Amino acid sequence: MTSITPFLWFDNNVAEAVAFYKSVFPNAKIETVSDFMAVFELEGQRFNALNGGPQYRFNEAVSFFISVETQEEVDYFWTRLTADGGAESRCGWLKDKFGLSWQVIPAALSRYLGDPDRTKANRVMQAMMQMGKLVIADLDKAYAG
């Protein structure tokens, strides 16, 4: 069966990266880690990773979307992924300490932005544009008007 798997290029720190992601994601599984490469799974998504060296860097053109339900989950992933040198960005985006971009997005945001009442959806969009880490209570308030 054909499949598509993200393949990540690290700067000779693939073992450290895999250990970090295993510490962040409760359902992480590591298939193999060597000096050259790794195969692992995060929340059901399989990844391959390579110790490729410093030639290439991650950028925001590719990010991984973490869909969550609660503020507790937003806070957990936001705090863990920005730890030890990660960086906060805007609108639910962040970079981890390896430079990989992530979006930590509560399901409420998608529901609100998809609402056929464009006035409500636009209020939520404007609120989101002012946030770094998304705050569900503030999205709820914007939606309610």
Side-chain angles (χ1 to χ4, degrees):
M1 182 167 103
T2 302
S3 66
I4 298 174
T5 304
F7 196 100
L8 306 174
W9 179 295
F10 288 92
D11 184 6
N12 296 314
N13 55 359
V14 76
E16 178 188 353
V18 171
F20 174 72
Y21 298 133
K22 186 176 186 327
S23 77
V24 171
F25 292 91
N27 297 312
K29 298 176 185 171
I30 299 174
E31 185 175 314
T32 185
V33 177
S34 71
D35 291 341
F36 181 64
M37 67 173 297
V39 178
F40 59 103
E41 188 177 291
L42 304 177
E43 302 301 317
Q45 174 62 56
R46 186 180 174 97
F47 290 84
N48 290 335
L50 172 72
N51 265 336
Q55 297 91 324
Y56 302 107
R57 301 269 182 226
F58 297 122
N59 66 52
E60 292 83 357
V62 174
S63 64
F64 293 98
F65 187 99
I66 305 170
S67 181
V68 299
E69 290 295 327
T70 67
Q71 189 65 48
E72 181 179 76
E73 291 172 304
V74 171
D75 296 346
Y76 170 83
F77 285 112
W78 191 267
T79 300
R80 297 295 300 269
L81 288 168
T82 57
D84 301 323
E88 297 184 3
S89 189
R90 297 186 43 181
C91 305
W93 289 59
L94 61 88
K95 282 189 176 186
D96 67 28
K97 65 183 179 179
F98 302 101
L100 194 58
S101 293
W102 298 86
Q103 298 176 59
V104 182
I105 308 297
L109 179 64
S110 296
R111 284 193 306 273
Y112 292 159
L113 293 179
D115 192 295
D117 183 334
R118 300 317 302 159
T119 300
K120 289 180 177 181
N122 287 336
R123 284 195 309 259
V124 172
M125 176 65 84
Q126 291 305 310
M128 180 203 64
M129 295 297 290
Q130 302 304 311
M131 296 180 195
K133 176 179 73 174
L134 299 183
V135 178
I136 296 171
D138 293 346
L139 296 173
D140 292 343
K141 286 178 193 171
Y143 184 75

